[in-house]
PDB file of all heavy atoms in Angstrom:
ATOM      1  N   GLN A   1      -8.473  12.431   3.559  1.00 98.00           N
ATOM      2  CA  GLN A   1      -9.672  12.085   4.203  1.00 98.00           C
ATOM      3  C   GLN A   1     -10.693  11.281   3.237  1.00 98.00           C
ATOM      4  O   GLN A   1     -10.682  11.581   2.014  1.00 98.00           O
ATOM      5  CB  GLN A   1     -10.441  13.305   4.750  1.00 98.00           C
ATOM      6  CG  GLN A   1     -11.514  13.022   5.615  1.00 98.00           C
ATOM      7  CD  GLN A   1     -12.157  14.261   6.209  1.00 98.00           C
ATOM      8  OE1 GLN A   1     -11.743  15.372   5.799  1.00 98.00           O
ATOM      9  NE2 GLN A   1     -12.973  14.180   7.242  1.00 98.00           N
ATOM     10  N   ALA A   2     -11.423  10.382   3.856  1.00 98.00           N
ATOM     11  CA  ALA A   2     -12.412   9.633   2.997  1.00 98.00           C
ATOM     12  C   ALA A   2     -13.228  10.536   2.267  1.00 98.00           C
ATOM     13  O   ALA A   2     -13.787  11.589   2.776  1.00 98.00           O
ATOM     14  CB  ALA A   2     -13.127   8.745   3.902  1.00 98.00           C
ATOM     15  N   GLY A   3     -13.502  10.187   1.016  1.00 98.00           N
ATOM     16  CA  GLY A   3     -14.284  11.073   0.076  1.00 98.00           C
ATOM     17  C   GLY A   3     -13.451  12.123  -0.656  1.00 98.00           C
ATOM     18  O   GLY A   3     -13.910  12.671  -1.633  1.00 98.00           O
ATOM     19  N   GLY A   4     -12.199  12.164  -0.343  1.00 98.00           N
ATOM     20  CA  GLY A   4     -11.271  13.098  -1.016  1.00 98.00           C
ATOM     21  C   GLY A   4     -10.718  12.555  -2.286  1.00 98.00           C
ATOM     22  O   GLY A   4     -11.051  11.415  -2.790  1.00 98.00           O
ATOM     23  N   SER A   5      -9.762  13.250  -2.915  1.00 98.00           N
ATOM     24  CA  SER A   5      -9.204  12.872  -4.186  1.00 98.00           C
ATOM     25  C   SER A   5      -7.708  13.004  -4.237  1.00 98.00           C
ATOM     26  O   SER A   5      -7.117  13.912  -3.427  1.00 98.00           O
ATOM     27  CB  SER A   5      -9.740  13.640  -5.282  1.00 98.00           C
ATOM     28  OG  SER A   5     -11.111  13.658  -5.528  1.00 98.00           O
ATOM     29  N   LEU A   6      -7.081  12.193  -4.916  1.00 98.00           N
ATOM     30  CA  LEU A   6      -5.717  12.250  -5.228  1.00 98.00           C
ATOM     31  C   LEU A   6      -5.288  11.979  -6.690  1.00 98.00           C
ATOM     32  O   LEU A   6      -6.150  11.172  -7.334  1.00 98.00           O
ATOM     33  CB  LEU A   6      -4.745  11.270  -4.378  1.00 98.00           C
ATOM     34  CG  LEU A   6      -4.663  11.504  -2.872  1.00 98.00           C
ATOM     35  CD1 LEU A   6      -3.966  10.298  -2.234  1.00 98.00           C
ATOM     36  CD2 LEU A   6      -3.897  12.782  -2.621  1.00 98.00           C
ATOM     37  N   ARG A   7      -4.304  12.485  -7.160  1.00 98.00           N
ATOM     38  CA  ARG A   7      -3.821  12.135  -8.624  1.00 98.00           C
ATOM     39  C   ARG A   7      -2.455  11.642  -8.536  1.00 98.00           C
ATOM     40  O   ARG A   7      -1.563  12.311  -8.148  1.00 98.00           O
ATOM     41  CB  ARG A   7      -3.998  13.327  -9.553  1.00 98.00           C
ATOM     42  CG  ARG A   7      -3.678  12.992 -10.976  1.00 98.00           C
ATOM     43  CD  ARG A   7      -3.420  14.265 -11.825  1.00 98.00           C
ATOM     44  NE  ARG A   7      -3.495  14.142 -13.171  1.00 98.00           N
ATOM     45  CZ  ARG A   7      -3.115  14.896 -14.134  1.00 98.00           C
ATOM     46  NH1 ARG A   7      -2.376  15.997 -13.791  1.00 98.00           N
ATOM     47  NH2 ARG A   7      -3.296  14.597 -15.423  1.00 98.00           N
ATOM     48  N   LEU A   8      -2.245  10.398  -8.850  1.00 98.00           N
ATOM     49  CA  LEU A   8      -1.014   9.729  -8.880  1.00 98.00           C
ATOM     50  C   LEU A   8      -0.280   9.932 -10.287  1.00 98.00           C
ATOM     51  O   LEU A   8      -1.037   9.898 -11.321  1.00 98.00           O
ATOM     52  CB  LEU A   8      -1.119   8.196  -8.639  1.00 98.00           C
ATOM     53  CG  LEU A   8      -1.824   7.817  -7.321  1.00 98.00           C
ATOM     54  CD1 LEU A   8      -1.767   6.298  -7.148  1.00 98.00           C
ATOM     55  CD2 LEU A   8      -1.319   8.628  -6.091  1.00 98.00           C
ATOM     56  N   SER A   9       0.998  10.095 -10.312  1.00 98.00           N
ATOM     57  CA  SER A   9       1.762  10.150 -11.531  1.00 98.00           C
ATOM     58  C   SER A   9       2.787   9.105 -11.487  1.00 98.00           C
ATOM     59  O   SER A   9       3.283   8.702 -10.480  1.00 98.00           O
ATOM     60  CB  SER A   9       2.472  11.544 -11.606  1.00 98.00           C
ATOM     61  OG  SER A   9       1.487  12.575 -11.688  1.00 98.00           O
ATOM     62  N   CYS A  10       3.221   8.678 -12.681  1.00 97.00           N
ATOM     63  CA  CYS A  10       4.225   7.688 -12.939  1.00 97.00           C
ATOM     64  C   CYS A  10       5.018   8.157 -14.056  1.00 97.00           C
ATOM     65  O   CYS A  10       4.699   8.149 -15.208  1.00 97.00           O
ATOM     66  CB  CYS A  10       3.597   6.338 -13.217  1.00 97.00           C
ATOM     67  SG  CYS A  10       4.793   5.107 -13.750  1.00 97.00           S
ATOM     68  N   SER A  11       6.202   8.651 -13.747  1.00 97.00           N
ATOM     69  CA  SER A  11       7.128   9.130 -14.791  1.00 97.00           C
ATOM     70  C   SER A  11       8.147   8.054 -15.103  1.00 97.00           C
ATOM     71  O   SER A  11       9.000   7.618 -14.323  1.00 97.00           O
ATOM     72  CB  SER A  11       7.911  10.386 -14.280  1.00 97.00           C
ATOM     73  OG  SER A  11       7.093  11.499 -14.001  1.00 97.00           O
ATOM     74  N   ALA A  12       8.147   7.666 -16.423  1.00 95.00           N
ATOM     75  CA  ALA A  12       8.830   6.481 -16.887  1.00 95.00           C
ATOM     76  C   ALA A  12       9.952   6.781 -17.784  1.00 95.00           C
ATOM     77  O   ALA A  12      10.010   7.816 -18.462  1.00 95.00           O
ATOM     78  CB  ALA A  12       7.827   5.456 -17.601  1.00 95.00           C
ATOM     79  N   SER A  13      10.931   5.760 -17.739  1.00 93.00           N
ATOM     80  CA  SER A  13      12.166   5.961 -18.591  1.00 93.00           C
ATOM     81  C   SER A  13      12.076   5.451 -19.998  1.00 93.00           C
ATOM     82  O   SER A  13      12.986   5.668 -20.782  1.00 93.00           O
ATOM     83  CB  SER A  13      13.358   5.325 -17.912  1.00 93.00           C
ATOM     84  OG  SER A  13      13.182   3.875 -17.887  1.00 93.00           O
ATOM     85  N   ALA A  14      11.095   4.716 -20.350  1.00 86.00           N
ATOM     86  CA  ALA A  14      10.917   3.996 -21.616  1.00 86.00           C
ATOM     87  C   ALA A  14      10.944   5.025 -22.775  1.00 86.00           C
ATOM     88  O   ALA A  14      10.129   5.887 -22.830  1.00 86.00           O
ATOM     89  CB  ALA A  14       9.755   3.132 -21.636  1.00 86.00           C
ATOM     90  N   SER A  15      11.880   4.717 -23.787  1.00 87.00           N
ATOM     91  CA  SER A  15      11.926   5.585 -24.869  1.00 87.00           C
ATOM     92  C   SER A  15      10.823   5.302 -25.794  1.00 87.00           C
ATOM     93  O   SER A  15      10.422   6.128 -26.680  1.00 87.00           O
ATOM     94  CB  SER A  15      13.278   5.434 -25.633  1.00 87.00           C
ATOM     95  OG  SER A  15      13.474   4.004 -26.079  1.00 87.00           O
ATOM     96  N   THR A  16      10.206   4.130 -25.766  1.00 93.00           N
ATOM     97  CA  THR A  16       9.044   3.765 -26.523  1.00 93.00           C
ATOM     98  C   THR A  16       7.787   3.699 -25.688  1.00 93.00           C
ATOM     99  O   THR A  16       6.831   2.891 -25.927  1.00 93.00           O
ATOM    100  CB  THR A  16       9.329   2.499 -27.307  1.00 93.00           C
ATOM    101  OG1 THR A  16       9.618   1.371 -26.321  1.00 93.00           O
ATOM    102  CG2 THR A  16      10.404   2.588 -28.254  1.00 93.00           C
ATOM    103  N   PHE A  17       7.719   4.578 -24.733  1.00 95.00           N
ATOM    104  CA  PHE A  17       6.542   4.595 -23.731  1.00 95.00           C
ATOM    105  C   PHE A  17       5.225   4.588 -24.440  1.00 95.00           C
ATOM    106  O   PHE A  17       4.342   3.969 -24.001  1.00 95.00           O
ATOM    107  CB  PHE A  17       6.676   5.913 -22.905  1.00 95.00           C
ATOM    108  CG  PHE A  17       5.615   6.144 -21.877  1.00 95.00           C
ATOM    109  CD1 PHE A  17       5.654   5.549 -20.639  1.00 95.00           C
ATOM    110  CD2 PHE A  17       4.416   6.832 -22.381  1.00 95.00           C
ATOM    111  CE1 PHE A  17       4.573   5.778 -19.728  1.00 95.00           C
ATOM    112  CE2 PHE A  17       3.517   7.102 -21.309  1.00 95.00           C
ATOM    113  CZ  PHE A  17       3.539   6.527 -20.171  1.00 95.00           C
ATOM    114  N   ARG A  18       5.074   5.298 -25.562  1.00 95.00           N
ATOM    115  CA  ARG A  18       3.810   5.482 -26.301  1.00 95.00           C
ATOM    116  C   ARG A  18       3.227   4.079 -26.674  1.00 95.00           C
ATOM    117  O   ARG A  18       2.056   3.991 -26.996  1.00 95.00           O
ATOM    118  CB  ARG A  18       3.831   6.344 -27.433  1.00 95.00           C
ATOM    119  CG  ARG A  18       4.849   5.986 -28.523  1.00 95.00           C
ATOM    120  CD  ARG A  18       5.097   7.203 -29.593  1.00 95.00           C
ATOM    121  NE  ARG A  18       6.038   6.766 -30.562  1.00 95.00           N
ATOM    122  CZ  ARG A  18       7.348   6.858 -30.479  1.00 95.00           C
ATOM    123  NH1 ARG A  18       7.816   7.079 -29.298  1.00 95.00           N
ATOM    124  NH2 ARG A  18       8.022   6.427 -31.463  1.00 95.00           N
ATOM    125  N   PHE A  19       4.078   3.176 -26.960  1.00 95.00           N
ATOM    126  CA  PHE A  19       3.716   1.765 -27.363  1.00 95.00           C
ATOM    127  C   PHE A  19       3.523   0.756 -26.307  1.00 95.00           C
ATOM    128  O   PHE A  19       3.095  -0.388 -26.546  1.00 95.00           O
ATOM    129  CB  PHE A  19       4.703   1.218 -28.301  1.00 95.00           C
ATOM    130  CG  PHE A  19       4.920   2.012 -29.539  1.00 95.00           C
ATOM    131  CD1 PHE A  19       6.097   2.420 -29.971  1.00 95.00           C
ATOM    132  CD2 PHE A  19       3.820   2.274 -30.430  1.00 95.00           C
ATOM    133  CE1 PHE A  19       6.339   3.209 -31.098  1.00 95.00           C
ATOM    134  CE2 PHE A  19       3.972   3.009 -31.530  1.00 95.00           C
ATOM    135  CZ  PHE A  19       5.219   3.464 -31.920  1.00 95.00           C
ATOM    136  N   PHE A  20       3.670   1.217 -24.947  1.00 96.00           N
ATOM    137  CA  PHE A  20       3.390   0.329 -23.913  1.00 96.00           C
ATOM    138  C   PHE A  20       1.989   0.424 -23.358  1.00 96.00           C
ATOM    139  O   PHE A  20       1.334   1.552 -23.352  1.00 96.00           O
ATOM    140  CB  PHE A  20       4.251   0.667 -22.601  1.00 96.00           C
ATOM    141  CG  PHE A  20       5.598   0.132 -22.732  1.00 96.00           C
ATOM    142  CD1 PHE A  20       6.591   0.760 -23.391  1.00 96.00           C
ATOM    143  CD2 PHE A  20       5.961  -1.004 -22.104  1.00 96.00           C
ATOM    144  CE1 PHE A  20       7.972   0.248 -23.452  1.00 96.00           C
ATOM    145  CE2 PHE A  20       7.186  -1.493 -22.077  1.00 96.00           C
ATOM    146  CZ  PHE A  20       8.199  -0.837 -22.808  1.00 96.00           C
ATOM    147  N   SER A  21       1.324  -0.722 -23.159  1.00 97.00           N
ATOM    148  CA  SER A  21       0.040  -0.596 -22.474  1.00 97.00           C
ATOM    149  C   SER A  21       0.522  -0.440 -20.869  1.00 97.00           C
ATOM    150  O   SER A  21       1.413  -0.903 -20.501  1.00 97.00           O
ATOM    151  CB  SER A  21      -0.730  -1.886 -22.664  1.00 97.00           C
ATOM    152  OG  SER A  21      -1.312  -1.944 -23.879  1.00 97.00           O
ATOM    153  N   LEU A  22      -0.449   0.345 -20.250  1.00 97.00           N
ATOM    154  CA  LEU A  22      -0.123   0.716 -18.764  1.00 97.00           C
ATOM    155  C   LEU A  22      -1.037   0.027 -17.834  1.00 97.00           C
ATOM    156  O   LEU A  22      -2.270  -0.240 -18.164  1.00 97.00           O
ATOM    157  CB  LEU A  22      -0.284   2.159 -18.693  1.00 97.00           C
ATOM    158  CG  LEU A  22       0.625   3.020 -19.610  1.00 97.00           C
ATOM    159  CD1 LEU A  22       0.189   4.530 -19.435  1.00 97.00           C
ATOM    160  CD2 LEU A  22       2.017   2.801 -19.370  1.00 97.00           C
ATOM    161  N   GLY A  23      -0.665  -0.096 -16.606  1.00 98.00           N
ATOM    162  CA  GLY A  23      -1.499  -0.573 -15.553  1.00 98.00           C
ATOM    163  C   GLY A  23      -1.034   0.063 -14.201  1.00 98.00           C
ATOM    164  O   GLY A  23       0.030   0.485 -14.013  1.00 98.00           O
ATOM    165  N   TRP A  24      -2.062   0.227 -13.366  1.00 98.00           N
ATOM    166  CA  TRP A  24      -1.996   0.554 -11.991  1.00 98.00           C
ATOM    167  C   TRP A  24      -2.319  -0.537 -11.215  1.00 98.00           C
ATOM    168  O   TRP A  24      -3.410  -1.235 -11.406  1.00 98.00           O
ATOM    169  CB  TRP A  24      -2.700   1.808 -11.595  1.00 98.00           C
ATOM    170  CG  TRP A  24      -2.131   3.116 -12.125  1.00 98.00           C
ATOM    171  CD1 TRP A  24      -2.418   3.743 -13.324  1.00 98.00           C
ATOM    172  CD2 TRP A  24      -1.043   3.874 -11.476  1.00 98.00           C
ATOM    173  NE1 TRP A  24      -1.612   4.897 -13.416  1.00 98.00           N
ATOM    174  CE2 TRP A  24      -0.851   5.041 -12.318  1.00 98.00           C
ATOM    175  CE3 TRP A  24      -0.303   3.820 -10.347  1.00 98.00           C
ATOM    176  CZ2 TRP A  24       0.115   6.019 -11.975  1.00 98.00           C
ATOM    177  CZ3 TRP A  24       0.548   4.658  -9.987  1.00 98.00           C
ATOM    178  CH2 TRP A  24       0.837   5.819 -10.808  1.00 98.00           C
ATOM    179  N   PHE A  25      -1.555  -0.961 -10.153  1.00 98.00           N
ATOM    180  CA  PHE A  25      -1.790  -2.008  -9.230  1.00 98.00           C
ATOM    181  C   PHE A  25      -1.583  -1.469  -7.819  1.00 98.00           C
ATOM    182  O   PHE A  25      -0.977  -0.440  -7.607  1.00 98.00           O
ATOM    183  CB  PHE A  25      -0.745  -3.157  -9.481  1.00 98.00           C
ATOM    184  CG  PHE A  25      -1.027  -3.864 -10.757  1.00 98.00           C
ATOM    185  CD1 PHE A  25      -0.524  -3.257 -11.811  1.00 98.00           C
ATOM    186  CD2 PHE A  25      -1.699  -5.102 -10.851  1.00 98.00           C
ATOM    187  CE1 PHE A  25      -0.590  -3.852 -13.119  1.00 98.00           C
ATOM    188  CE2 PHE A  25      -1.806  -5.746 -12.109  1.00 98.00           C
ATOM    189  CZ  PHE A  25      -1.368  -5.164 -13.229  1.00 98.00           C
ATOM    190  N   ARG A  26      -2.229  -2.157  -6.849  1.00 98.00           N
ATOM    191  CA  ARG A  26      -2.033  -1.785  -5.505  1.00 98.00           C
ATOM    192  C   ARG A  26      -1.728  -2.862  -4.584  1.00 98.00           C
ATOM    193  O   ARG A  26      -2.162  -4.085  -4.935  1.00 98.00           O
ATOM    194  CB  ARG A  26      -3.177  -0.945  -4.959  1.00 98.00           C
ATOM    195  CG  ARG A  26      -4.468  -1.610  -4.836  1.00 98.00           C
ATOM    196  CD  ARG A  26      -5.676  -0.712  -4.577  1.00 98.00           C
ATOM    197  NE  ARG A  26      -6.825  -1.408  -4.147  1.00 98.00           N
ATOM    198  CZ  ARG A  26      -7.996  -0.729  -4.055  1.00 98.00           C
ATOM    199  NH1 ARG A  26      -8.093   0.598  -4.129  1.00 98.00           N
ATOM    200  NH2 ARG A  26      -9.112  -1.430  -3.660  1.00 98.00           N
ATOM    201  N   GLN A  27      -1.085  -2.638  -3.439  1.00 98.00           N
ATOM    202  CA  GLN A  27      -0.842  -3.848  -2.516  1.00 98.00           C
ATOM    203  C   GLN A  27      -0.883  -3.314  -1.111  1.00 98.00           C
ATOM    204  O   GLN A  27      -0.405  -2.243  -0.819  1.00 98.00           O
ATOM    205  CB  GLN A  27       0.544  -4.274  -2.792  1.00 98.00           C
ATOM    206  CG  GLN A  27       0.941  -5.564  -2.006  1.00 98.00           C
ATOM    207  CD  GLN A  27       2.333  -6.120  -2.446  1.00 98.00           C
ATOM    208  OE1 GLN A  27       3.136  -5.444  -2.900  1.00 98.00           O
ATOM    209  NE2 GLN A  27       2.339  -7.438  -2.326  1.00 98.00           N
ATOM    210  N   VAL A  28      -1.540  -4.128  -0.311  1.00 97.00           N
ATOM    211  CA  VAL A  28      -1.600  -3.982   1.159  1.00 97.00           C
ATOM    212  C   VAL A  28      -0.686  -4.953   1.754  1.00 97.00           C
ATOM    213  O   VAL A  28      -0.590  -6.078   1.309  1.00 97.00           O
ATOM    214  CB  VAL A  28      -3.047  -4.193   1.704  1.00 97.00           C
ATOM    215  CG1 VAL A  28      -3.034  -4.042   3.126  1.00 97.00           C
ATOM    216  CG2 VAL A  28      -3.963  -3.216   1.042  1.00 97.00           C
ATOM    217  N   PRO A  29       0.081  -4.616   2.854  1.00 94.00           N
ATOM    218  CA  PRO A  29       1.011  -5.614   3.453  1.00 94.00           C
ATOM    219  C   PRO A  29       0.407  -6.854   3.796  1.00 94.00           C
ATOM    220  O   PRO A  29      -0.806  -6.887   4.251  1.00 94.00           O
ATOM    221  CB  PRO A  29       1.450  -4.722   4.776  1.00 94.00           C
ATOM    222  CG  PRO A  29       1.448  -3.380   4.374  1.00 94.00           C
ATOM    223  CD  PRO A  29       0.173  -3.304   3.483  1.00 94.00           C
ATOM    224  N   GLY A  30       0.923  -7.988   3.279  1.00 95.00           N
ATOM    225  CA  GLY A  30       0.528  -9.287   3.628  1.00 95.00           C
ATOM    226  C   GLY A  30      -0.464  -9.808   2.514  1.00 95.00           C
ATOM    227  O   GLY A  30      -0.881 -10.944   2.721  1.00 95.00           O
ATOM    228  N   LYS A  31      -0.727  -9.081   1.586  1.00 96.00           N
ATOM    229  CA  LYS A  31      -1.636  -9.515   0.475  1.00 96.00           C
ATOM    230  C   LYS A  31      -1.036  -9.307  -0.828  1.00 96.00           C
ATOM    231  O   LYS A  31      -0.045  -8.586  -1.047  1.00 96.00           O
ATOM    232  CB  LYS A  31      -2.965  -8.690   0.524  1.00 96.00           C
ATOM    233  CG  LYS A  31      -3.802  -8.720   1.748  1.00 96.00           C
ATOM    234  CD  LYS A  31      -5.108  -7.995   1.727  1.00 96.00           C
ATOM    235  CE  LYS A  31      -5.978  -8.474   0.620  1.00 96.00           C
ATOM    236  NZ  LYS A  31      -7.365  -7.832   0.582  1.00 96.00           N
ATOM    237  N   ASP A  32      -1.477 -10.016  -1.841  1.00 96.00           N
ATOM    238  CA  ASP A  32      -1.062  -9.947  -3.168  1.00 96.00           C
ATOM    239  C   ASP A  32      -1.361  -8.525  -3.773  1.00 96.00           C
ATOM    240  O   ASP A  32      -2.266  -7.869  -3.471  1.00 96.00           O
ATOM    241  CB  ASP A  32      -1.579 -11.044  -4.040  1.00 96.00           C
ATOM    242  CG  ASP A  32      -1.199 -12.419  -3.641  1.00 96.00           C
ATOM    243  OD1 ASP A  32      -0.110 -12.531  -3.052  1.00 96.00           O
ATOM    244  OD2 ASP A  32      -1.856 -13.326  -3.927  1.00 96.00           O
ATOM    245  N   ARG A  33      -0.442  -8.147  -4.725  1.00 96.00           N
ATOM    246  CA  ARG A  33      -0.851  -7.032  -5.506  1.00 96.00           C
ATOM    247  C   ARG A  33      -2.072  -7.292  -6.300  1.00 96.00           C
ATOM    248  O   ARG A  33      -2.230  -8.443  -6.876  1.00 96.00           O
ATOM    249  CB  ARG A  33       0.283  -6.571  -6.487  1.00 96.00           C
ATOM    250  CG  ARG A  33       1.453  -6.119  -5.703  1.00 96.00           C
ATOM    251  CD  ARG A  33       2.531  -5.499  -6.721  1.00 96.00           C
ATOM    252  NE  ARG A  33       3.762  -5.202  -5.949  1.00 96.00           N
ATOM    253  CZ  ARG A  33       4.854  -4.749  -6.555  1.00 96.00           C
ATOM    254  NH1 ARG A  33       4.826  -4.237  -7.768  1.00 96.00           N
ATOM    255  NH2 ARG A  33       5.944  -4.434  -5.784  1.00 96.00           N
ATOM    256  N   GLU A  34      -3.000  -6.304  -6.446  1.00 97.00           N
ATOM    257  CA  GLU A  34      -4.201  -6.428  -7.232  1.00 97.00           C
ATOM    258  C   GLU A  34      -4.288  -5.362  -8.324  1.00 97.00           C
ATOM    259  O   GLU A  34      -3.883  -4.196  -8.088  1.00 97.00           O
ATOM    260  CB  GLU A  34      -5.398  -6.342  -6.362  1.00 97.00           C
ATOM    261  CG  GLU A  34      -5.663  -5.132  -5.497  1.00 97.00           C
ATOM    262  CD  GLU A  34      -6.822  -5.156  -4.689  1.00 97.00           C
ATOM    263  OE1 GLU A  34      -7.575  -6.175  -4.618  1.00 97.00           O
ATOM    264  OE2 GLU A  34      -6.983  -4.052  -3.825  1.00 97.00           O
ATOM    265  N   PHE A  35      -4.844  -5.725  -9.444  1.00 97.00           N
ATOM    266  CA  PHE A  35      -5.082  -4.946 -10.529  1.00 97.00           C
ATOM    267  C   PHE A  35      -6.134  -3.833 -10.196  1.00 97.00           C
ATOM    268  O   PHE A  35      -7.118  -3.972  -9.618  1.00 97.00           O
ATOM    269  CB  PHE A  35      -5.611  -5.672 -11.647  1.00 97.00           C
ATOM    270  CG  PHE A  35      -6.022  -4.881 -12.904  1.00 97.00           C
ATOM    271  CD1 PHE A  35      -4.986  -4.389 -13.767  1.00 97.00           C
ATOM    272  CD2 PHE A  35      -7.342  -4.529 -13.112  1.00 97.00           C
ATOM    273  CE1 PHE A  35      -5.414  -3.627 -14.852  1.00 97.00           C
ATOM    274  CE2 PHE A  35      -7.632  -3.789 -14.235  1.00 97.00           C
ATOM    275  CZ  PHE A  35      -6.645  -3.342 -15.121  1.00 97.00           C
ATOM    276  N   VAL A  36      -5.742  -2.528 -10.581  1.00 98.00           N
ATOM    277  CA  VAL A  36      -6.662  -1.473 -10.299  1.00 98.00           C
ATOM    278  C   VAL A  36      -7.185  -0.866 -11.646  1.00 98.00           C
ATOM    279  O   VAL A  36      -8.476  -0.779 -11.718  1.00 98.00           O
ATOM    280  CB  VAL A  36      -5.905  -0.274  -9.514  1.00 98.00           C
ATOM    281  CG1 VAL A  36      -6.795   0.921  -9.416  1.00 98.00           C
ATOM    282  CG2 VAL A  36      -5.477  -0.771  -8.143  1.00 98.00           C
TER     283      VAL A  36
END
């Protein structure tokens, strides 16, 4: 519901995960992905 909360998780395979910079993006159908 509007006003509520969610926590998204991303479990990755990279052995050097700690050295990656991370990003979250989102996309609505018919539109480009946008940086979050």
